[in-house]
Amino acid sequence: MFRKKPPPEEERRVRANDREYNEKFQYASNCIMTSKYNIITFLPVNLFEQFQEVANTYFLFLLILQLIPQISSLSWFTTIVPLALVLSITAVKDATDDYFRHKSDNQVNNRQSQVLIRGSLQKEKWMNVRVGDIIKLENNQFVAADLLLLSSSEPHGLCYIETAELDGETNLKVRQSVSVTSALGDPNNLALFNGEVVCEPPNNKLDRFCGTLYWRERKYNLTNQNMLLRGCVLRNTETCYGLVIFAGPDTKLMQNSGRTKFKRTSIDRLMNTLVLWIFGFLVCMGVILAVGNAVWEREVGSLFQIYLPWDPPVDNFVFSAFLSFWSYVIILNTVVPISLYVSVEVIRLGHSYFINWDQKMFCSQCNTAAEARTTTLNEELGQVEYIFSDKTGTLTQNIMTFNKCSINGQTYGEVTEPLGPQPKKLDFAPFNRLADPNFSFYDETLLESVKVGDSHTHEFFRLLSLCHTVMSEEKSEGELVYKAQSPDEGALVTAARNFGFVFRSRTPGTITTTEMGRPVTYTLLAILDFNNIRKRMSVIVRNPEGRIRLYCKGADIVLLERLHPCNQKLMNVTSDHLHDYAADGLRTLALAYRDLSEDEWEAWSESHRCADKATDCREDRLAATYEQIEQDMMLLGATAIEDKLQEGVPETIAVLSLANIKIWVLTGDKQETAVNIGYSCKMLTDDMTEVFIISGHTVQSVRQELRRARERMIEHSRTRDGVKEERMEGWGEACYMGNGFKEGQGSDGIGGGGGAGGEKQLQCSPPPPPPSHLMDNIPGEFALVINGHSLAHALEADMEMEFVSTACTCKAVICCRVTPLQKAQVVELIKKHKKAVTLAIGDGANDVSMIKSAHIGVGISGQEGIQAVLASDYSFSQFRFLQRLLLVHGRWSYLRMCRFLCYFFYKNFAFTMVHFWFGFFCGFSAQTVYDQYFITLYNIVYTSLPVLAMGIFDQDVPDQRSLEYPKLYEPGQLNLLFNKKEFFICIAQGIYTSVVLFFVPYAIMCGATQSTGVPLADYQTFAVTTATALVIVVSVQIALDTGFWTVFNHVFVWGSLGSYFTIMLALHSQTLFRIFPNQFHFVGSAQSTLLQPVVWLTIALATAICIVPVLAIRFLKLDLKPQLSDTVRHTQLVLQKKRKPLGCSVGAAWRGTGSMSEGRLGARGGSRRSGYAFAHQEGFGELITSGKNMRLSSLALATFASRHSSSWIDTLRRKKHTHTPPSTSEEGSPAPSCVSGSVPTLSNSSSVLGGSQDTTIEEETGTTLAQDPQTVPASSSQTAPTLATHSEAEQPQDSPQTLSAGVLTSKSGRCHEGDSSGGWMFTLGTMQEALFGWRSIAARTGPSNSPGVACDAKETIHIE
């Protein structure tokens, strides 16, 4: 552990089978450690972390003071026990978390691996593997370290790997050994291998490796194609051998894993600041009282020296003041008691259990419940502004299914009717004995078309069975297993298989199929390989009759323009189908063919051979040759594949967007795939103002593209708002919501420009980068798509602000082809520049660094192992549970913690400041007002349980309402409920209460007498009166603060009040005084004091003076400036009393519109978008035609090699990283500035908002409602049901006060005779925008037949 760290490497030298040589360089072992502590370091490191909390240091300081008897009036025991308790609870929790990390590390380190040692294979634990060892891997085994592939059981040293743990992709990738070592397949030969590798030092570049192998006086270049990285899984390969180059923490997987960080919430950081302020305030009070003590001792105290001399250490008034200062510091320290931190930990623990116990976050399919793996971040869940999500396995299930298709202008697969019966799954077994039983399709008309022998349908599926690079393995007769390089190809070939065109096998020159039960063998003449520039692939085959035909499949944007002109009519119909498929988020491909004559084939084959053998510009020559033959094709149709989203993903993203949360997708997948998933899950819509694609390869090009994107945003802003200056001037006022925050601060940015000042800035060219507040206020919905190589430049120091200012203006951001480290860097960038709470969610090891970097890490317990879960703070099995985690548990946790802190500081200042005022009347002698036992029990017994109950159980609206009204989440993002302003308000209320509690009893009791004429003005009676009034006042106050009463709240509030009187009477009893005469001095005080009527009148008066102003302020605030939660609560209360619930919940409405095949959230405009996405890798075409992946005879290989001499691996090495951007949609119309004509379905409780926008809902006291309210049925699943009520008498029309957007005000005066005063009046558009932010989702909601409402609509809702 204390070994000296070796100097950084400049290069790495590894010699095979020579541990002694390799140990000279002190390379890291293969043992990994993700834990934070060990047995030796746990105590010091954990205590160091805990004492970073200012409060813990503060209490340690107080403990030291209490150990000095000359200044302490309280026992040291009262501080050390709770401090030790807090430290112990936190230490146990941290130790438990770290124990599970150790357990995971041990599980990985103790995996078995076969290592070649002294000529024989021996089983070794992973942790004992060393650099330079040769390891044997078997099929489906994880790669133990970063290996140089030496040989394989596959021909030519090939092997297939799955890299899901590294980049999230589950499609297979191919690796090949160096040709000189591929023959060393025997352990005996490998034992003699002594080659030396010189390569780059450890780094985090997943796609790059540079090295040289020196063996037998020759050297061989090594690239990433020769490497197997730790975390990969060997697939479809029986065995392979590899040389360990990097081990343990030096592997690229571990280099991309961030370190475990100590996470604290923003409230924790704020409390640290507040504790410092309170300590400063405490010192000021101590100085004031010490100065008072000095003056009093000098002027007055000197007169009493004869019979009240100073204690021995004190010999003058200055020293007396010095000791008095420290005494008051100890007495007044209860402004921040240690019980605060104990209570905070208990509340957080309770919130964590609520998450664990939530049945609505339990997945029955995988039997997995949600788990809060930490208890320190619950309230931070209510403040999230940015979510960074992985794609594969997080948003999607990574399961491709053949969903729909278009053949000769006829679309198939559209069988789902929302109101009709669900269709049955087709049974292919009677029709085709080779059908895959797991394949699902529901449209029987397509199967009938195949059965009747439709030529177009047969040719369609023939193309799918021939045009691919899938490998087939037939384990037994009829049992086919397809090895697809991408899940897309697997889905298409499986579809062809079920519809009667079964791909059986291939050789380098033939493809064997079974067509409608008849075996057919085609001669494979050429494969025109796929790449990201061509966006298509083709095969040229000769059928048994000798006819040559080219089959092509690819993106519609490139294939349709290569069709013969006679296809124009069919192309228009098919384009419409493709448009609809893409709108549903399906991944589309267009299919075409071309017949070739023998002369055309021979001429093209010759030109292709010349291009293939070219030594310069080979790629460009081949591309030109492909382009030449792929012309004048005949259109067959199109396919639509669904990359199945996880359940509820579109609904979850839509609701989170309404909550002003921006969602960024960070994926290792290719651009087209990621963009289509973005459309599928409704992150991207065709109604967005513009989608920007950043794909530059240099810093300068990336900077230009980012600036061009900002210029386009500002140009849209000018077009929309620049001509109306009056509107811009009024924008600032119109954007204020009822709870005091700006709508323009939302993620959608809708609500106008940037104010009058912003108008000026918009009219000039944007500086690079422009002010963030200006970019934040730009209206319109934009999206940004950026590639990994462009992102690498964007993350450079001088480009950070360019990227942040552009990306954060967008509604959605998708980063493609990013490495795990880049994911973490993006998160850190937002944390650094936006000061916003971030949440990262993922399911694989490639997401670990991102999860650790974010404020909150969420792990999906999916199919990619448990690394993400182990590194996370929260885990569950479905992305849709994130909605409930944030909007319900997170929001409640934040609300409860804020209310708890506000009340806690209030009650303790009210309690402590009485000592301060008493100091001026007791000669500044540090005499306490209360009995010492009351001081001890006040925070432990009398007031602890009620505030705990409020902090654990309180809620302003039920969980269903939190999901229905996402705008309720915004106060947490803006930190409105507990900040420095709220803190000072609580302190001011506490000080006011302390003044009342001290001076009211003091003023009354100065001249008060008992019924016997004995004066009441004694210290003990005053102490009992003040303490009783304090307990009653704070109990009434928490009763007012509690918004949700449970049995626990009642028991704790009234039980604590009862316990106060019980304990006080017991402590003041004569029984205890007789037993402990020196400890209980207040004998009989409670009994005698509480029997006096004047005491109870004093307590009642003090309580009234403390509580009535609070009630008055709250009623005025509720009436004049209600928060959104007040509005929701009031609306629900009125509707529950006066109306039978109608309609369906918003959740049901979302579910009805979220299905991929049943409709969409977004209303589609006239723009076109390609749904093309194909997770395919370039190079497999040459691999197949070269025959290197097939076990053929030596003669067959020799014959074939004479015709194809080029190496497919060269193509892989020179693989292009550029992506041609897909055709962007035409410029969409900007979102309407007022309420859209389409309104999602609302719940019964929100039916006041759910009607048609032409409907006025009026409710008044004494009105009899109709039994069956009038409803207007919706014409589509996106249209809200219209609700209306009938009044017995028409209400008089009052002119409501003009309201700004989202503001809810009260009507002045009475609205109707007999009405209660202070009724509610607000416009329908106002209410909808305030509660839901309809303006921000106008583009997302589906088309409605209900007429829209103008901005100056006069319809109003009157609720009383």
Side-chain angles (χ1 to χ4, degrees):
M1 184 182 70
F2 298 102
R3 186 178 65 180
K4 183 179 179 182
K5 188 176 180 180
E9 299 180 43
E10 295 182 0
E11 67 175 12
R12 173 159 290 207
R13 291 182 171 272
V14 179
R15 185 177 295 171
N17 294 315
D18 194 343
R19 281 194 173 186
E20 185 178 347
Y21 173 80
N22 296 323
E23 284 175 357
K24 295 190 306 183
F25 301 102
Q26 299 182 3
Y27 295 141
S29 70
N30 204 38
C31 179
I32 64 166
M33 185 176 67
T34 61
S35 55
K36 292 167 60 178
Y37 317 107
N38 57 36
I39 295 177
I40 299 175
T41 63
F42 173 73
L43 196 58
V45 173
N46 188 260
L47 286 177
F48 173 75
E49 289 179 346
Q50 291 200 58
F51 279 110
Q52 286 183 329
E53 296 282 353
V54 177
N56 289 338
T57 307
Y58 167 72
F59 292 123
L60 181 64
F61 172 70
L62 287 177
L63 175 63
I64 295 171
L65 288 182
Q66 288 183 333
L67 295 175
I68 304 173
Q70 285 79 9
I71 61 174
S72 177
S73 56
L74 298 174
S75 173
W76 58 271
F77 190 79
T78 59
T79 299
I80 194 172
V81 170
L83 178 60
L85 182 64
V86 171
L87 296 177
S88 300
I89 291 174
T90 307
V92 168
K93 177 178 63 67
D94 292 341
T96 303
D97 292 343
D98 211 55
Y99 166 75
F100 287 109
R101 295 191 191 100
H102 275 285
K103 189 175 180 180
S104 171
D105 291 345
N106 291 334
Q107 182 182 358
V108 173
N109 290 331
N110 289 316
R111 287 178 180 172
Q112 296 292 319
S113 185
Q114 298 182 68
V115 182
L116 189 63
I117 300 177
R118 292 184 292 276
S120 64
L121 289 171
Q122 300 180 15
K123 287 194 174 182
E124 283 280 357
K125 295 179 179 178
W126 277 23
M127 61 191 298
N128 296 328
V129 172
R130 296 290 182 268
V131 172
D133 289 350
I134 293 178
I135 295 179
K136 179 183 179 182
L137 293 175
E138 296 180 346
N139 193 32
N140 296 326
Q141 278 189 350
F142 277 95
V143 179
D146 288 358
L147 309 178
L148 170 65
L149 181 61
L150 296 178
S151 65
S152 165
S153 59
E154 297 295 305
H156 305 280
L158 294 174
C159 73
Y160 301 92
I161 57 172
E162 182 182 286
T163 59
E165 292 283 1
L166 292 174
D167 55 20
E169 295 188 39
T170 55
N171 53 298
L172 300 184
K173 296 180 174 61
V174 65
R175 295 291 184 264
Q176 186 180 32
S177 65
V178 182
S179 57
V180 71
T181 65
S182 59
L184 301 176
D186 184 75
N188 295 326
N189 295 332
L190 289 168
L192 300 176
F193 177 68
N194 61 351
E196 184 172 351
V197 174
V198 179
C199 64
E200 60 190 9
N203 59 74
N204 53 37
K205 307 290 185 184
L206 291 175
D207 57 349
R208 185 174 67 85
F209 178 81
C210 183
T212 305
L213 170 64
Y214 295 89
W215 191 40
R216 294 176 178 173
E217 299 182 354
R218 297 190 65 181
K219 63 180 183 179
Y220 308 88
N221 291 330
L222 305 176
T223 69
N224 200 48
Q225 292 298 324
N226 309 122
M227 296 294 295
L228 305 180
L229 302 184
R230 180 182 179 127
C232 298
V233 182
L234 192 67
R235 299 291 191 200
N236 298 337
T237 307
E238 290 184 11
T239 60
C240 72
Y241 292 87
L243 172 67
V244 178
I245 304 297
F246 301 118
D250 292 340
T251 58
K252 293 183 183 290
L253 175 64
M254 298 304 296
Q255 290 279 312
N256 274 283
S257 298
R259 289 190 58 81
T260 302
K261 298 181 180 179
F262 180 62
K263 296 183 178 181
R264 291 186 297 175
T265 67
S266 57
I267 287 184
D268 284 334
R269 293 188 291 271
L270 175 60
M271 283 177 59
N272 279 347
T273 302
L274 298 182
V275 167
L276 289 175
W277 288 2
I278 291 172
F279 183 73
F281 180 66
L282 178 61
V283 170
C284 291
M285 289 193 296
V287 169
I288 292 171
L289 294 171
V291 171
N293 179 269
V295 173
W296 192 89
E297 290 289 352
R298 180 178 178 180
E299 300 297 331
V300 182
S302 58
L303 304 177
F304 303 95
Q305 285 298 311
I306 298 174
Y307 56 92
L308 283 178
W310 285 321
D311 293 331
V314 181
D315 56 0
N316 58 66
F317 67 90
V318 176
F319 191 59
S320 173
F322 176 76
L323 295 181
S324 177
F325 169 78
W326 294 110
S327 297
Y328 272 114
V329 167
I330 294 174
I331 291 173
L332 299 174
N333 81 83
T334 50
V335 286
V336 185
I338 189 68
S339 60
L340 169 64
Y341 291 88
V342 177
S343 302
V344 166
E345 291 300 323
V346 171
I347 289 172
R348 286 173 171 169
L349 184 64
H351 295 169
S352 299
Y353 277 116
F354 287 156
I355 294 173
N356 296 343
W357 294 338
D358 192 343
Q359 291 295 318
K360 295 181 180 178
M361 296 173 67
F362 176 80
C363 179
S364 56
Q365 295 177 350
C366 49
N367 196 31
T368 304
E371 181 184 5
R373 300 175 54 81
T374 181
T375 61
T376 58
L377 303 174
N378 295 324
E379 63 269 19
E380 197 101 307
L381 289 170
Q383 299 180 275
V384 173
E385 292 186 55
Y386 287 86
I387 293 177
F388 299 91
S389 174
D390 179 39
K391 181 190 75 68
T392 307
T394 302
L395 299 178
T396 70
Q397 303 177 37
N398 204 37
I399 299 174
M400 306 293 179
T401 59
F402 184 80
N403 194 286
K404 299 176 185 177
C405 64
S406 172
I407 303 175
N408 195 34
Q410 176 67 39
T411 184
Y412 299 95
E414 298 276 2
V415 295
T416 303
E417 297 181 9
L419 300 179
Q422 290 298 315
K424 292 183 179 180
K425 175 182 173 181
L426 296 183
D427 183 10
F428 292 92
F431 162 71
N432 179 9
R433 66 180 181 83
L434 296 175
D436 184 351
N438 297 321
F439 178 79
S440 298
F441 201 77
Y442 301 92
D443 192 350
E444 194 172 357
T445 57
L446 180 57
L447 184 58
E448 291 298 324
S449 178
V450 173
K451 289 180 179 179
V452 299
D454 181 76
S455 60
H456 295 99
T457 306
H458 280 205
E459 199 65 22
F460 179 90
F461 286 112
R462 183 176 290 116
L463 184 152
L464 294 182
S465 68
L466 296 173
C467 186
H468 56 79
T469 58
V470 174
M471 303 297 294
S472 175
E473 181 180 347
E474 193 161 358
K475 295 185 176 181
S476 62
E477 180 64 27
E479 186 182 352
L480 292 170
V481 177
Y482 290 149
K483 300 178 182 178
Q485 187 218 357
S486 68
D488 309 69
E489 283 214 317
L492 293 175
V493 176
T494 301
R497 168 185 174 180
N498 277 59
F499 282 100
F501 290 77
V502 186
F503 166 64
R504 300 294 294 268
S505 63
R506 70 162 73 244
T507 69
T510 63
I511 298 177
T512 301
T513 65
T514 298
E515 297 182 357
M516 305 299 291
R518 180 173 57 91
V520 181
T521 299
Y522 292 85
T523 303
L524 179 61
L525 301 178
I527 294 180
L528 284 59
D529 205 4
F530 168 91
N531 65 31
N532 287 328
I533 298 176
R534 285 168 35 78
K535 291 184 171 59
R536 63 190 184 276
M537 74 164 291
S538 302
V539 296
I540 302 176
V541 297
R542 189 195 305 270
N543 67 8
E545 289 79 30
R547 189 174 61 188
I548 300 174
R549 180 166 285 184
L550 176 144
Y551 290 108
C552 181
K553 67 180 180 185
D556 55 311
I557 54 177
V558 296
L559 194 141
L560 295 182
E561 63 188 26
R562 289 166 172 78
L563 298 178
H564 193 277
C566 68
N567 289 268
Q568 187 61 45
K569 183 177 179 180
L570 177 60
M571 185 176 68
N572 292 337
V573 176
T574 306
S575 295
D576 289 337
H577 295 161
L578 284 166
H579 175 58
D580 293 335
Y581 299 160
D584 287 338
L586 303 180
R587 301 153 66 95
T588 61
L589 289 174
L591 311 182
Y593 72 93
R594 176 186 174 185
D595 287 319
L596 300 175
S597 66
E598 286 288 346
D599 293 338
E600 286 176 322
W601 158 246
E602 290 295 339
W604 182 85
S605 179
E606 181 61 32
S607 62
H608 177 258
R609 256 193 302 275
C610 294
D612 194 34
K613 294 179 179 179
T615 56
D616 59 328
C617 303
R618 177 176 177 271
E619 296 294 327
D620 296 335
R621 292 173 184 266
L622 282 174
T625 307
Y626 295 163
E627 185 75 23
Q628 175 188 345
I629 196 71
E630 292 172 330
Q631 299 291 336
D632 294 331
M633 294 184 287
M634 303 298 293
L635 181 63
L636 273 174
T639 62
I641 291 178
E642 179 181 0
D643 184 1
K644 279 188 174 296
L645 292 174
Q646 288 194 12
E647 181 185 352
V649 167
E651 304 93 304
T652 300
I653 289 178
V655 173
L656 292 177
S657 297
L658 291 179
N660 195 29
I661 298 175
K662 295 186 179 181
I663 302 176
W664 292 26
V665 172
L666 311 179
T667 177
D669 216 334
K670 61 198 290 289
Q671 175 184 307
E672 290 83 2
T673 308
V675 168
N676 276 272
I677 291 299
Y679 280 99
S680 300
C681 63
K682 309 305 178 189
M683 278 183 62
L684 307 178
T685 67
D686 282 340
D687 293 310
M688 279 186 158
T689 310
E690 192 160 345
V691 178
F692 303 104
I693 296 180
I694 309 298
S695 57
H697 284 267
T698 65
V699 174
Q700 196 58 35
S701 62
V702 172
R703 179 181 284 111
Q704 289 175 355
E705 290 179 5
L706 290 172
R707 290 184 180 177
R708 196 176 303 121
R710 289 200 302 273
E711 290 170 1
R712 290 285 296 159
M713 293 180 192
I714 295 175
E715 182 180 335
H716 280 294
S717 178
R718 283 180 186 159
T719 304
R720 179 173 176 174
D721 300 309
V723 295
K724 295 187 179 181
E725 189 170 343
E726 307 85 16
R727 179 179 173 186
M728 294 293 291
E729 290 175 351
W731 178 83
E733 296 178 2
C735 284
Y736 273 95
M737 306 289 288
N739 56 2
F741 51 86
K742 285 188 177 182
E743 185 188 3
Q745 292 170 348
S747 64
D748 46 45
I750 294 180
E759 168 75 6
K760 246 181 180 179
Q761 295 188 39
L762 289 176
Q763 290 176 348
C764 61
S765 58
S772 59
H773 68 274
L774 174 61
M775 296 303 296
D776 287 343
N777 291 333
I778 285 183
E781 291 192 351
F782 302 94
L784 182 74
V785 180
I786 184 168
N787 284 307
H789 50 78
S790 303
L791 183 63
H793 297 305
L795 293 174
E796 294 179 7
D798 59 335
M799 286 283 292
E800 286 183 354
M801 285 307 300
E802 295 274 0
F803 175 63
V804 170
S805 61
T806 305
C808 291
T809 309
C810 296
K811 185 88 173 166
V813 177
I814 298 177
C815 301
C816 317
R817 291 295 188 195
V818 294
T819 66
L821 188 65
Q822 282 180 326
K823 291 183 178 184
Q825 289 173 339
V826 171
V827 175
E828 292 288 354
L829 191 66
I830 298 302
K831 287 171 64 178
K832 173 183 175 183
H833 291 287
K834 301 302 290 186
K835 307 298 182 185
V837 177
T838 59
L839 180 147
I841 180 169
D843 71 321
N846 58 315
D847 304 313
V848 167
S849 56
M850 173 178 72
I851 287 172
K852 289 180 178 179
S853 297
H855 292 100
I856 303 167
V858 178
I860 300 287
S861 50
Q863 301 176 356
E864 295 187 20
I866 60 172
Q867 286 85 349
V869 172
L870 292 174
S872 67
D873 305 305
Y874 301 89
S875 67
F876 40 71
S877 60
Q878 296 285 326
F879 181 84
R880 60 190 170 95
F881 295 146
L882 184 63
Q883 173 183 348
R884 187 168 180 85
L885 181 70
L886 298 184
L887 300 188
V888 177
H889 292 287
R891 186 177 163 277
W892 277 352
S893 294
Y894 174 72
L895 172 79
R896 291 162 177 168
M897 187 60 69
C898 292
R899 289 186 174 180
F900 164 81
L901 292 173
C902 288
Y903 175 78
F904 208 97
F905 284 119
Y906 154 75
K907 77 180 181 68
N908 280 285
F909 266 80
F911 165 67
T912 306
M913 288 300 293
V914 175
H915 291 297
F916 180 77
W917 310 124
F918 185 59
F920 292 90
F921 296 86
C922 68
F924 306 96
S925 60
Q927 170 71 40
T928 58
V929 178
Y930 316 109
D931 173 16
Q932 62 174 346
Y933 294 102
F934 177 82
I935 296 174
T936 304
L937 298 175
Y938 177 76
N939 279 307
I940 297 176
V941 177
Y942 301 151
T943 60
S944 61
L945 293 180
V947 73
L948 274 179
M950 182 179 71
I952 293 175
F953 300 109
D954 201 30
Q955 52 184 265
D956 55 348
V957 296
D959 56 346
Q960 183 183 356
R961 302 293 175 258
S962 295
L963 297 173
E964 290 173 354
Y965 304 103
K967 280 284 184 182
L968 291 169
Y969 189 79
E970 288 193 0
Q973 297 171 323
L974 301 173
N975 205 19
L976 296 179
L977 302 186
F978 186 74
N979 48 42
K980 294 171 184 176
K981 175 186 174 182
E982 293 295 325
F983 170 74
F984 284 119
I985 292 174
C986 298
I987 298 309
Q989 185 185 355
I991 294 174
Y992 165 76
T993 301
S994 70
V995 170
V996 173
L997 291 176
F998 178 79
F999 287 101
V1000 169
Y1002 182 84
I1004 293 176
M1005 300 182 70
C1006 277
T1009 61
Q1010 301 181 19
S1011 57
T1012 58
V1014 179
L1016 269 176
D1018 65 86
Y1019 166 68
Q1020 293 186 348
T1021 300
F1022 178 77
V1024 171
T1025 304
T1026 306
T1028 304
L1030 172 65
V1031 172
I1032 291 175
V1033 167
V1034 297
S1035 297
V1036 173
Q1037 183 66 48
I1038 198 168
L1040 294 175
D1041 289 345
T1042 300
F1044 182 74
W1045 284 87
T1046 65
V1047 174
F1048 297 101
N1049 294 85
H1050 283 289
V1051 171
F1052 289 165
V1053 171
W1054 314 124
S1056 295
L1057 199 57
S1059 69
Y1060 163 72
F1061 289 104
T1062 303
I1063 293 173
M1064 181 179 64
L1065 292 172
L1067 292 177
H1068 294 186
S1069 67
Q1070 294 186 5
T1071 303
L1072 285 179
F1073 176 73
R1074 292 193 188 100
I1075 300 173
F1076 306 103
N1078 295 326
Q1079 298 295 326
F1080 298 95
H1081 307 294
F1082 278 51
V1083 58
S1085 298
Q1087 292 85 340
S1088 62
T1089 303
L1090 298 180
L1091 290 175
Q1092 304 300 320
V1094 67
V1095 171
W1096 287 107
L1097 291 173
T1098 303
I1099 293 172
L1101 179 60
T1103 303
I1105 295 175
C1106 290
I1107 298 300
V1108 169
V1110 175
L1111 284 175
I1113 292 172
R1114 292 190 180 185
F1115 273 115
L1116 287 173
K1117 187 177 179 182
L1118 186 66
D1119 200 42
L1120 299 177
K1121 193 179 179 183
Q1123 294 184 348
L1124 294 180
S1125 57
D1126 301 326
T1127 308
V1128 172
R1129 203 162 51 242
H1130 184 82
T1131 303
Q1132 306 313 315
L1133 182 63
V1134 171
L1135 293 175
Q1136 287 172 7
K1137 287 181 178 180
K1138 296 189 176 183
R1139 169 176 299 179
K1140 182 178 179 180
L1142 289 174
C1144 60
S1145 68
V1146 166
W1150 288 128
R1151 285 190 292 274
T1153 61
S1155 172
M1156 299 290 293
S1157 59
E1158 291 183 9
R1160 312 184 290 277
L1161 287 174
R1164 302 193 55 80
S1167 60
R1168 296 271 177 183
R1169 177 179 68 80
S1170 169
Y1172 156 74
F1174 203 51
H1176 203 290
Q1177 186 179 11
E1178 179 184 4
F1180 262 57
E1182 286 194 49
L1183 174 62
I1184 289 171
T1185 55
S1186 70
K1188 289 185 176 181
N1189 63 335
M1190 303 172 191
R1191 293 182 175 85
L1192 302 177
S1193 65
S1194 301
L1195 177 62
L1197 283 175
T1199 304
F1200 194 76
S1202 63
R1203 295 166 53 199
H1204 294 268
S1205 59
S1206 63
S1207 172
W1208 68 272
I1209 203 73
D1210 293 335
T1211 305
L1212 285 179
R1213 288 171 180 161
R1214 293 190 296 272
K1215 176 184 172 187
K1216 296 182 182 298
H1217 293 281
T1218 57
H1219 301 273
T1220 304
S1223 62
T1224 57
S1225 60
E1226 297 173 10
E1227 182 179 324
S1229 59
S1233 58
C1234 195
V1235 183
S1236 173
S1238 57
V1239 181
T1241 309
L1242 306 182
S1243 73
N1244 52 359
S1245 58
S1246 59
S1247 56
V1248 68
L1249 305 175
S1252 167
Q1253 294 178 359
D1254 293 335
T1255 304
T1256 300
I1257 301 177
E1258 296 184 355
E1259 295 183 321
E1260 57 177 315
T1261 305
T1263 299
T1264 304
L1265 297 179
Q1267 294 293 326
D1268 298 311
Q1270 180 183 356
T1271 59
V1272 179
S1275 60
S1276 67
S1277 60
Q1278 290 86 7
T1279 307
T1282 304
L1283 306 177
T1285 59
H1286 301 283
S1287 309
E1288 289 183 351
E1290 183 180 353
Q1291 294 217 31
Q1293 186 72 25
D1294 287 1
S1295 58
Q1297 182 182 352
T1298 302
L1299 305 178
S1300 58
V1303 178
L1304 177 64
T1305 62
S1306 64
K1307 292 176 61 177
S1308 57
R1310 289 183 174 277
C1311 298
H1312 192 275
E1313 190 174 312
D1315 286 359
S1316 59
S1317 61
W1320 304 91
M1321 175 66 81
F1322 44 90
T1323 66
L1324 177 61
T1326 292
M1327 189 66 175
Q1328 287 175 329
E1329 187 172 347
L1331 296 182
F1332 293 94
W1334 292 131
R1335 295 171 66 181
S1336 65
I1337 62 160
R1340 291 184 179 273
T1341 55
S1344 171
N1345 293 335
S1346 302
V1349 177
C1351 289
D1352 56 348
K1354 300 299 183 184
E1355 287 83 7
T1356 59
I1357 302 172
H1358 181 204
I1359 303 174
E1360 309 206 310

